Amino acid sequence: MAAHAVATQEKQGLSNGMLGFILFLASEVMFFGGLFAAYFIARSDAREWPPVYLLTPEQVAAGVKLEVEFWLPFIATILLITSSVTIQLGVFSIQRGNRSGLIRWTFISIVLGLVFLVMQVYDYSQLHFGIGDTIYGTTFYTLTGFHGLHVLGGVIFMGIILARSLAGQFTAANHEAVEACSFYWHFVDVVWIALFTTLYIIP
Amino acid sequence: MTSIAIPRPAYAERPWILDWLTTVDHKKLGILYLYTTMFFFAVGGILALLVRAQLAVADNTFVNNDAYNQLFTMHASAMLFLFIIPVWAGFGNYIVPLQIGAADMAFPRINALSFWLIPPAGLLMFSGFLFGGASDVGWTAYSPLARSSGVGLDLWIIAVIILGVSSTIGAANFMVTMFRMRAPGMTMFRMPIFCWTMLVTAVLQLLATPVLASGLAMLYIDRNFGGSFFDPNGGGNAILWQNIFWFYSHPAVYIMILPGMGIISEILPVFARKPLFGYKAFVFATMGIGGLGFSVWAHHMFTTGAVLKPWFGFMTFMIGVPTGVKMFNWLGTLWRGSITFEAPMLFALGFLSMFLIGGINGTFSAAVPVDFAIHDTYFVVAHIHYVLFGGAVFAVFAGLYYWFPKIWGRRLDERLARIHFALQFIGFNLAFFPMHLLGLDGMPRRIATYSESAGWETLNLISTIGAFLIGVAMIPFIINVVMAFLRPKDQPNDPWEGNTLEWWTTSPPPVHNFDSLPEVHSERPLWDLRHGNAAH
């Protein structure tokens, strides 16, 4: 009988786990989409940006300034993009069966992720506005804060990958968790690039 | 007929309670989902009866205003977030792997996680009653009202975020299951309709729920950390909440109804003894509803004046088209069928007639000028109950009567089922039809009481009597279930002459679901076997 009767359960391409993980990332995109939407609506509502006209005399007297520093986040951006490269080098290593390469690159990526987090916390401590200081402060800390939590999640994810690679669990044929981790880390990186562009570059 | 042997795994014996607490079997999780959601259906129903008791007569002081606000908020929250949305996950859990001939869901442990997030979230949502009052801002939680409500709303926010996580990871699980775990021969376009509706529902859940989570996070930040997202004084935008909320909650009404449509589409062909009329049209209509579902959210916000009314009005009319297509699928299926009126069919026909009214009175509100007149009146309350009770709840009971023999191995009594149906059908229409008239008469929703001079008393009293009649209708249902559980499991594999693979295996199925699978050449493999069509 005709061709459409011969349906088979093809198990090629993405595994179930990777497909599920990509769907999870799609839901994450929608989550950040909601946050970005809030930011752009706030900007389109504002007469000027940063919206200094919204500051109350008390806030001005308390020394609130709606300004961000550029160079520290810029360096942090370079580091995060670098860590995306290093985690990918880890994936390439294990694809060739090179477990020590995976361990080395994952370790470097974790360090870069941690440095990023430290720089973010330091950057927070240097700013002259808080989450309650107009929609500017609210959107800034909410967007970068949720991203920071995702970086922390990624660092923990990479820590698990590191522990599992030290335990010898990954091989050239079996390293799906490493790939999933790298997908997640690239996603966190891409979100940051969008955030950095939005918060620091768009005038 | 050929069948394909599937190797049978070995199972370890565990204590009964440990088995249920740690199970990753989709069937047991499905049953847990059904028990949990029916429990919250009962809780939400009792809250509804309290609301109706308060509204029965004018100037009533049965509950005070604060309590009333909590009652209707928690009624809606329980019914939507803890009953209707997860009850489909319950049916889907039990039925989808069986209908596609799989041994389980793609991710059994994530499946268990999806379920076990629900009971604590439900308790968290209701724990507000212990801490100075549950959420009292309506299930829509609009700002600025939501910025000043008590701690019950914070608990509500966290609970809804947890339920959203459950829903989102469950959606990914259903999608991978249906994309990757289908039996040999079952192409996507041979998947049973219920699976298709669960698949489109899963897509909506996966993409819409996280947006609500982002909005809830913003609301939480506004309330607890001094944020200004929804506060114009700080440069925020109160309408932003409505946009985010309805960007989720309008697709969510399809999340709440599509699987019900799927259940009806399984039942009508079986009890009309005809294949579903226009299978592919139905699938495309389901996809159409899913896609258009993302483009109509602002029809909840016409009266804000802050949305593009012609666009959202037009798209809302458009979404009536695929829904109308489905109506004709169902009518075409019934046309010249050999119809019998067992309990599942009664409830399915109840769905058809009541959902039709819900569809038509919904289309009224799509017309912007009409919407300005009926916005936030009882007309809208009537509409939502005709689609979600007349639609979704009738479909829940249709599904329960239909799959009860499969899930529990016993048949529910037909006479009690008829009494249940009659009481529920009459009670439902008594409760909700008068709300159309009250709405046209200008009665606003969410008011705790009303003056006698408004002239709304008679219709409200009828509505309250109807609501209590629905409550009474649950008594024969509960008796029926209890009596069934007292009888031995005696159901054959296929008591209804079903069409889909769940009727191929025993009732209830073994842990591994199937000892063998028939060849699949269409969306109705068992029909093909009965009618000798298997060879083509």
Side-chain angles (χ1 to χ4, degrees):
Chain A
M1 84 124 271
H4 66 263
V6 198
T8 54
Q9 199 173 19
E10 304 258 332
K11 285 281 192 232
Q12 293 166 353
L14 287 174
S15 69
N16 290 359
M18 283 308 282
L19 181 58
F21 197 78
I22 289 167
L23 293 174
F24 161 71
L25 288 181
S27 77
E28 287 271 42
V29 169
M30 295 305 287
F31 178 81
F32 278 100
L35 296 180
F36 273 97
Y39 175 84
F40 283 112
I41 284 174
R43 280 197 69 148
S44 70
D45 283 347
R47 282 209 305 275
E48 54 178 305
W49 196 263
V52 286
Y53 65 95
L54 289 167
L55 289 174
T56 59
E58 294 81 43
Q59 284 171 319
V60 176
V64 171
K65 286 199 198 74
L66 301 181
E67 292 163 4
V68 289
E69 208 264 332
F70 180 79
W71 287 106
L72 185 73
F74 180 73
I75 296 165
T77 307
I78 303 290
L79 291 180
L80 201 61
I81 294 171
T82 311
S83 75
S84 228
V85 175
T86 56
I87 192 74
Q88 196 57 41
L89 289 172
V91 173
F92 291 152
S93 298
I94 194 64
Q95 281 173 351
R96 291 191 305 270
N98 177 358
R99 196 177 297 146
S100 61
L102 172 65
I103 292 168
R104 186 172 63 246
W105 289 120
T106 308
F107 180 76
I108 293 170
S109 307
I110 291 173
V111 170
L112 287 168
L114 285 173
V115 171
F116 177 89
L117 284 173
V118 170
M119 289 174 84
Q120 187 172 20
V121 171
Y122 176 77
D123 187 46
Y124 278 8
S125 74
Q126 298 301 302
L127 295 172
H128 295 288
F129 63 91
I131 194 167
D133 292 319
T134 79
I135 191 68
Y136 185 84
T138 307
T139 49
F140 178 85
Y141 284 105
T142 303
L143 267 70
T144 56
F146 270 111
H147 177 264
L149 288 175
H150 279 76
V151 173
L152 183 63
V155 167
I156 293 168
F157 198 165
M158 291 191 293
I160 294 168
I161 295 299
L162 182 64
R164 289 185 62 186
S165 29
L166 287 169
Q169 293 186 358
F170 299 120
T171 62
N174 179 12
H175 57 270
E176 196 163 88
V178 183
E179 303 242 7
C181 182
S182 76
F183 275 41
Y184 183 80
W185 195 246
H186 295 323
F187 162 76
V188 170
D189 197 20
V190 168
V191 171
W192 179 255
I193 292 169
L195 265 183
F196 183 74
T197 312
T198 311
L199 296 176
Y200 295 91
I201 295 179
I202 296 176
Chain B
M1 180 210 80
T2 51
S3 45
I4 299 146
I6 293 170
R8 180 196 291 249
Y11 308 109
E13 284 291 324
R14 283 176 300 180
W16 177 84
I17 184 77
L18 196 66
D19 192 39
W20 281 95
L21 287 176
T22 62
T23 185
V24 293
D25 180 345
H26 73 98
K27 297 183 292 299
K28 286 190 168 148
L29 287 167
I31 290 171
L32 287 173
Y33 261 108
L34 291 176
Y35 282 144
T36 309
T37 50
M38 291 311 279
F39 168 76
F40 284 114
F41 178 54
V43 173
I46 290 165
L47 295 174
L49 293 184
L50 294 174
V51 166
R52 280 319 315 172
Q54 165 67 12
L55 292 175
V57 291
D59 302 311
N60 200 357
T61 52
F62 175 64
V63 295
N64 64 30
N65 291 359
D66 286 341
Y68 183 82
N69 290 343
Q70 293 172 38
L71 286 179
F72 77 72
T73 300
M74 295 308 288
H75 159 66
S77 303
M79 287 303 197
L80 301 177
F81 294 124
L82 293 167
F83 168 54
I84 295 184
I85 294 176
V87 80
W88 300 138
F91 279 113
N93 246 296
Y94 202 101
I95 298 302
V96 164
L98 290 173
Q99 283 198 331
I100 62 172
D104 206 317
M105 297 279 282
F107 309 113
R109 282 186 289 182
I110 287 178
N111 200 19
L113 177 63
S114 297
F115 168 73
W116 285 107
L117 288 172
I118 292 173
L123 295 178
L124 198 63
M125 190 185 275
F126 276 92
S127 67
F129 283 115
L130 304 175
F131 301 106
S135 175
D136 58 355
V137 294
W139 81 284
T140 51
Y142 278 11
S143 283
L145 182 62
R147 290 173 58 83
S148 57
S149 179
V151 71
L153 179 54
D154 288 319
L155 294 165
W156 182 91
I157 291 171
I158 297 166
V160 177
I161 289 177
I162 295 172
L163 292 168
V165 171
S166 158
S167 184
T168 308
I169 61 179
N173 204 349
F174 274 115
M175 287 166 76
V176 176
T177 303
M178 281 180 268
F179 285 143
R180 308 305 292 262
M181 311 268 289
R182 297 187 310 280
M186 186 176 286
T187 57
M188 286 303 276
F189 277 98
R190 292 175 189 170
M191 262 202 325
I193 282 290
F194 176 66
C195 294
W196 265 110
T197 57
M198 283 302 297
L199 182 61
V200 174
T201 299
V203 174
L204 294 179
Q205 281 177 318
L206 186 84
L207 298 179
T209 318
V211 179
L212 177 69
S214 78
L216 290 166
M218 292 178 212
L219 185 58
Y220 194 85
I221 288 165
D222 268 18
R223 289 170 48 81
N224 294 284
F225 307 126
S228 311
F229 279 112
F230 309 125
D231 175 18
N233 291 326
N237 187 331
I239 302 294
L240 170 65
W241 165 261
Q242 297 187 24
N243 274 305
I244 292 178
F245 180 81
W246 289 113
F247 186 84
Y248 163 76
S249 293
H250 199 81
V253 305
Y254 302 110
I255 290 170
M256 296 172 210
I257 196 67
L258 285 177
M261 294 172 162
I263 289 175
I264 300 312
S265 311
E266 295 295 334
I267 290 171
L268 292 180
V270 170
F271 294 93
R273 280 134 198 114
K274 279 179 65 192
L276 182 74
F277 176 73
Y279 168 89
K280 278 200 177 169
F282 195 100
V283 171
F284 288 123
T286 306
M287 292 179 188
I289 290 175
L292 288 169
F294 278 106
S295 63
V296 298
W297 79 87
H299 66 215
H300 297 269
M301 303 160 54
F302 283 150
T303 56
T304 62
V307 297
L308 189 57
K309 292 185 281 294
W311 162 263
F312 286 105
F314 178 73
M315 294 313 280
T316 307
F317 284 120
M318 288 295 291
I319 207 164
V321 174
T323 314
V325 168
K326 291 186 174 194
M327 260 309 158
F328 287 105
N329 285 130
W330 293 322
L331 293 178
T333 306
L334 292 174
W335 178 253
R336 294 188 167 174
S338 312
I339 300 174
T340 52
F341 294 96
E342 286 94 339
M345 188 62 161
L346 286 179
F347 281 91
L349 294 174
F351 171 102
L352 271 196
S353 48
M354 296 300 100
F355 184 77
L356 178 64
I357 296 178
I360 289 171
N361 64 17
T363 315
F364 281 28
S365 324
V368 177
V370 180
D371 183 76
F372 268 70
I374 59 179
H375 183 81
D376 264 348
T377 69
Y378 261 82
F379 193 91
V380 178
V381 182
H383 163 64
I384 185 262
H385 285 95
Y386 266 86
V387 285
L388 288 185
F389 197 109
V393 177
F394 274 80
V396 167
F397 282 113
L400 282 177
Y401 281 106
Y402 181 57
W403 282 310
F404 200 93
K406 180 53 62 182
I407 297 176
W408 285 284
R410 301 150 170 115
R411 182 91 166 255
L412 289 169
D413 181 70
E414 281 295 327
R415 273 172 313 167
L416 282 168
R418 273 185 213 136
I419 297 170
H420 170 200
F421 174 76
L423 288 174
Q424 184 175 313
F425 191 83
I426 296 166
F428 167 76
N429 281 293
L430 277 182
F432 298 110
F433 199 84
M435 290 185 183
H436 291 108
L437 307 173
L438 285 168
L440 293 177
D441 211 18
M443 180 173 169
R445 61 196 292 205
R446 294 178 173 172
I447 52 171
T449 192
Y450 49 90
S451 161
E452 199 182 344
S453 60
W456 298 331
E457 205 167 24
T458 313
L459 289 170
N460 268 302
L461 188 61
I462 293 171
S463 174
T464 300
I465 292 168
F468 277 85
L469 200 54
I470 295 172
V472 172
M474 296 304 136
I475 295 170
F477 173 70
I478 292 166
I479 294 173
N480 205 345
V481 170
V482 171
M483 280 172 56
F485 280 146
L486 295 176
R487 288 195 294 270
K489 294 181 186 180
D490 61 350
Q491 287 299 296
N493 291 6
D494 186 6
W496 307 116
E497 290 199 356
N499 296 333
T500 40
L501 286 180
E502 77 267 33
W503 305 109
W504 176 255
T505 187
T506 55
S507 304
V511 179
H512 52 277
N513 288 355
F514 297 97
D515 286 321
S516 67
L517 282 173
E519 285 186 25
V520 179
H521 297 285
S522 73
E523 85 282 3
R524 43 180 198 278
L526 269 61
W527 165 286
D528 292 344
L529 285 174
R530 267 200 308 279
H531 297 269
N533 296 345
H536 86 103

